[in-house]
Amino acid sequence: MGKCLYCQKSAGIFKKLHKECEEKYLNGRELIKIKSNSFFDKSEVVEIVELENIADNSFIPYNEFEEIMENTFTDNLLNFLDDGTLDDKEEDVLGEYMEHFKLTQEQLNKNDSLGKMVRASILRKLLNGEPSSNRLNIDGNLPFKFQKSEELIWLFQNVELYEQRIKTTYEGSSNGISLRIAKGVYYRTSSFRGHPVKTTNIVPIASGMVALTNKHIYFSSGIKNFRINYVKIITLEPYSDGIGITKDGVTAKPQVFKNVDGWFCYNFIKNISE
């Protein structure tokens, strides 16, 4: 006899669930989504106890219940950001949702939702001409030596640094005769007639930490450390999970920082350097 995945009672031979239990589970998840979303359109304001009771009666584990509540926060945040900005009222209602349903920073940081909200707030203040300020609480020491009047704005960890490298090879042919002048040594009388072929590759360099301040972007790792003044950056290329930067200089190589919020980095650097 198998046990039902939901109610844990006997499901019968070769069965893993009761259809009615599965239906109750799916309906419960959908009802929690609807009721938690109603907080944002104010069609109905429910208490967390009511939603917890729905979860209990629908065989929904508490970790899944938390995930539903977190996803509601994230979905509405992304909806607010559809126009590219997060205004004061939108940020306030997200904060009220957190407080009303007792969501912690740790819960919302699982998928970086809280971080995305704070970064959107930083951009809004920057665009409004307000001074940039630190919204982070750092535990431990950072490997960066900031300049006077320089303030940390955001920190990304586990960032992969890539650099563009150009490799030159020669393709072509030669003709003429080879004269043997010693054992195993030949000298070809004609010159090599070929042309250089350059290939560009993005190669991994190091993994470390990226800090954005009000003046520079910093990178620190065990093998490579540097900072770039924003005014020295001549190109910016945003990606879904990173950003590409080329700084001024004849020998400067394009660099890509992977595992950062490309949307935030692009807009922050572009606007703070103007």
Side-chain angles (χ1 to χ4, degrees), residues 91-118:
E91 185 178 354
D92 287 344
V93 74
L94 287 167
E96 291 166 3
Y97 178 89
M98 284 180 60
E99 183 177 354
H100 185 78
F101 292 114
K102 299 179 173 60
L103 294 179
T104 65
Q105 292 187 13
E106 289 74 16
Q107 289 173 314
L108 293 176
N109 273 335
K110 290 177 182 177
N111 57 4
D112 195 38
S113 294
L114 184 59
K116 189 177 288 292
M117 183 189 79
V118 175

Side-chain angles (χ1 to χ4, degrees), residues 261-273:
D261 184 342
W263 166 80
F264 170 74
C265 291
Y266 175 83
N267 284 285
F268 181 79
I269 295 173
K270 185 175 177 60
N271 285 282
I272 201 168
S273 59

Side-chain angles (χ1 to χ4, degrees), residues 101-256:
F101 292 114
K102 299 179 173 60
L103 294 179
T104 65
Q105 292 187 13
E106 289 74 16
Q107 289 173 314
L108 293 176
N109 273 335
K110 290 177 182 177
N111 57 4
D112 195 38
S113 294
L114 184 59
K116 189 177 288 292
M117 183 189 79
V118 175
R119 292 193 294 270
S121 176
I122 291 172
L123 287 180
R124 182 186 70 245
K125 292 181 178 180
L126 177 62
L127 292 172
N128 290 340
E130 302 175 37
S132 300
S133 59
N134 185 3
R135 298 280 297 272
L136 299 172
N137 292 319
I138 305 296
D139 293 328
N141 298 319
L142 294 176
F144 310 106
K145 184 179 180 180
F146 299 131
Q147 297 179 340
K148 290 182 179 179
S149 74
E150 190 170 21
E151 188 169 3
L152 174 66
I153 303 300
W154 199 262
L155 185 72
F156 294 100
Q157 301 186 66
N158 303 314
V159 178
E160 298 175 19
L161 172 66
Y162 293 78
E163 285 186 357
Q164 185 182 94
R165 295 291 170 85
I166 298 176
K167 182 180 180 181
T168 302
T169 58
Y170 285 85
E171 295 183 358
S173 61
S174 62
N175 50 32
I177 61 172
S178 296
L179 302 177
R180 183 173 180 177
I181 57 177
K183 183 178 179 181
V185 180
Y186 289 81
Y187 175 74
R188 186 173 292 277
T189 60
S190 63
S191 61
F192 185 87
R193 296 189 306 179
H195 60 279
V197 176
K198 294 185 177 182
T199 56
T200 302
N201 296 303
I202 299 294
V203 298
I205 301 299
S207 179
M209 192 180 298
V210 164
L212 295 180
T213 75
N214 55 332
K215 295 182 178 181
H216 300 90
I217 177 171
Y218 287 77
F219 179 80
S220 177
S221 72
I223 61 176
K224 195 174 183 69
N225 304 278
F226 60 85
R227 73 182 175 205
I228 303 173
N229 192 310
Y230 295 136
V231 298
K232 295 292 186 180
I233 296 174
I234 58 175
T235 65
L236 280 172
E237 185 73 26
Y239 304 103
S240 60
D241 59 348
I243 188 167
I245 290 176
T246 304
K247 64 179 180 179
D248 193 13
V250 176
T251 61
K253 301 180 181 69
Q255 297 171 312
V256 175

